[in-house]
Amino acid sequence: YIIGNGGNMAVASHGAADCTRLTDKKVYCLDSMSYLTSVANDYKWENIFIKWLETYSYLNSKSMVIGLSGSGNSKNVVSALSWANVRYNFSTALISGQKSVCLDSNINELCFNVNYFHTIEILSLMAFYELIHGSGNECPTIKSEIIRKYGKES
């Protein structure tokens, strides 16, 4: 499960799609705007990811929740990581642009220590591709995709 706000939500969605497509893992992101806005309306914005995980996660599975936060302190992301770790004993990690001042000490953090949101968003997406490669899988090259689709090089 991958969670994030704003640009990090776009990164979470893209990362989840490619991790699922290119590995043997099923990776999920809260992509439904209808669900997101109804949960935000009914349970408040700070609870959207907790409610989503509570509704959609497989409780007796070995799962991981990765949170993305530019500041490292997004309340809805950090609280969902803590909740998933305590409630379901899921592995949890935060990818941040700045060191979190509110993250539980038992949650791993990969902090890039950068100043701009766009920088952490790009680095976060690149981190997903490193996870794909690190798991023994690979991303197709542009050339290999052209050959696969059209049977010849351009």
Side-chain angles (χ1 to χ4, degrees), residues 12-30:
S13 178
H14 190 116
D18 276 354
C19 285
T20 300
R21 184 174 66 90
L22 299 170
T23 73
D24 63 348
K25 304 292 182 199
K26 293 180 182 176
V27 184
Y28 303 97
C29 175
L30 175 50

Side-chain angles (χ1 to χ4, degrees), residues 122-133:
I122 291 166
L123 291 171
S124 295
L125 186 57
M126 291 174 68
F128 282 109
Y129 292 108
E130 289 303 311
L131 289 171
I132 290 169
H133 285 278

Side-chain angles (χ1 to χ4, degrees), residues 3-5 44-50 68 73-81:
I3 57 177
N5 295 304
K44 298 184 181 175
W45 183 256
E46 61 265 18
N47 297 313
I48 59 169
F49 297 123
I50 290 174
L68 308 176
N73 300 299
S74 302
K75 185 176 182 180
N76 58 356
V77 171
V78 171
S79 64
L81 292 173

Side-chain angles (χ1 to χ4, degrees), residues 55-67:
T55 304
Y56 284 94
S57 61
Y58 298 100
L59 308 182
N60 296 320
S61 65
K62 184 174 181 175
S63 295
M64 179 173 200
V65 181
I66 298 173

Side-chain angles (χ1 to χ4, degrees), residues 1-3 53 58-59 61-67 80-94 106-108:
Y1 304 93
I2 307 172
I3 57 177
L53 289 167
Y58 298 100
L59 308 182
S61 65
K62 184 174 181 175
S63 295
M64 179 173 200
V65 181
I66 298 173
L81 292 173
S82 178
W83 181 88
N85 187 267
V86 170
R87 179 83 181 263
Y88 294 128
N89 199 31
F90 287 171
S91 297
T92 51
L94 177 68
N106 60 333
I107 297 173
N108 295 311

